[in-house]
């Protein structure tokens, strides 16, 4: 685990509990979201820069909904339900933080999370996933009919298990010098090939 020495973000008091967002345009601020967040019914949500902690619940983006964020870090902790869950035909554009505790880390699943946790990247419109996806004790499932992360200068994945199903084209660029999002220490340096 090249990121085993990276400290986990801390969780604060619950900002919201079991938040569900339907329709319209919304903006969320960093903090701890207990029970997770569900974005549905064509809602469009922008995440303000900062760290978002999902405790005992998922970040779920349903079909037709949109999630956008620059300078964000998504931390999942607690029960095995605390996962990312991006549905088919959702729209996802996310970029990691440039500095701070989650610098370069787009997704950080807790090391104490059960191995039964399954993070789902099924979106057919997730062209921007800039940063590192770190799931040290769970599974990342990728199943989409369109390319994923192809607009990202780099996308690094460190996961205990990763499953790609019949449709996906997961694009892992290593153009580290084309972005000011830092590459976490332990990830391959500039000019290195993709490593499996």
């Amino acid at each position: 685990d090249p990121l085993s020495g990276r400290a986990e973000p801390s969780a604060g008091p619950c900002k919201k509990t079991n938040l569900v967002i339907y329709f319209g345009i919304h903006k969320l601020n960093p903090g701890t979201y207990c029970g997770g967040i569900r974005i549905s019914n064509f809602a469009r949500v922008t995440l303000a820069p900062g760290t978002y902690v999902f405790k005992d619940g998922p970040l779920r983006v349903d079909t037709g909904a949109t999630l956008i964020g620059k300078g964000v870090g998504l931390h999942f902790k607690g029960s095995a339900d605390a996962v990312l869950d991006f549905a088919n035909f959702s729209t996802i554009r996310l970029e990691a933080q440039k500095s701070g505790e989650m610098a370069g880390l787009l997704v950080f699943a807790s090391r104490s999370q059960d191995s039964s946790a399954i993070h789902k990247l099924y979106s057919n419109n997730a062209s921007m996933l800039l940063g590192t996806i770190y799931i040290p004790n769970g599974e990342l499932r990728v199943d989409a009919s369109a390319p994923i992360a192809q607009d990202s200068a780099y996308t690094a994945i460190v996961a205990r298990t990763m499953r790609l199903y019949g449709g996906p084209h997961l694009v892992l660029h290593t153009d580290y010098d084309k972005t000011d999002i830092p590459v976490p220490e332990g990830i391959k340096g500039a000019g290195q090939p993709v490593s499996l």
Side-chain angles (χ1 to χ4, degrees):
D1 181 350
L3 300 176
S4 61
R6 191 71 180 257
E8 292 196 18
S10 57
C14 298
K15 189 178 192 74
K16 297 280 186 182
T17 300
N18 299 323
L19 179 62
V20 179
I21 300 173
Y22 290 104
F23 300 109
I25 298 173
H26 305 265
K27 184 175 182 178
L28 293 178
N29 292 310
T32 298
Y33 291 83
C34 297
I37 298 175
R38 181 176 181 181
I39 303 169
S40 192
N41 290 86
F42 300 96
R44 180 184 176 93
V45 173
T46 299
L47 302 178
T51 299
Y52 294 76
V53 178
F54 301 91
K55 184 178 180 183
D56 299 323
L59 170 58
R60 181 174 177 181
V61 184
D62 288 337
T63 295
T66 299
L67 180 66
I68 297 171
K70 288 187 176 183
V72 300
L74 312 177
H75 180 49
F76 298 89
K77 69 182 304 169
S79 72
D81 295 329
V83 294
L84 66 83
D85 186 354
F86 298 157
N88 295 98
F89 303 107
S90 61
T91 298
I92 311 293
R93 291 191 68 83
L94 297 171
E95 299 180 21
Q97 297 177 30
K98 297 178 184 178
S99 61
E101 62 183 355
M102 288 276 288
L105 288 173
L106 183 59
V107 173
F108 190 151
S110 175
R111 297 183 186 94
S112 63
Q113 195 170 44
D114 190 89
S115 60
S116 63
I118 299 173
H119 299 260
K120 299 175 183 177
L121 181 51
Y122 294 172
S123 172
N124 289 318
N125 190 8
S127 59
M128 178 62 73
L129 295 171
L130 177 52
T132 299
I133 297 172
Y134 181 44
I135 305 172
N137 202 35
E139 179 179 318
L140 177 63
R141 289 186 182 176
V142 181
D143 191 2
S145 59
I148 295 170
Q150 74 272 21
D151 293 342
S152 310
Y154 84 88
T155 303
I157 298 173
V158 178
R160 180 177 178 271
T161 305
M162 183 168 70
R163 296 179 194 269
L164 279 73
Y165 289 87
H169 303 274
L170 179 60
V171 180
L172 300 178
H173 290 299
T174 57
D175 298 326
Y176 303 131
D177 58 340
K178 293 183 179 178
T179 178
D180 53 1
I181 305 299
V183 181
E185 209 167 310
I187 302 297
K188 289 283 186 181
Q192 295 295 317
V194 172
S195 176
L196 293 177

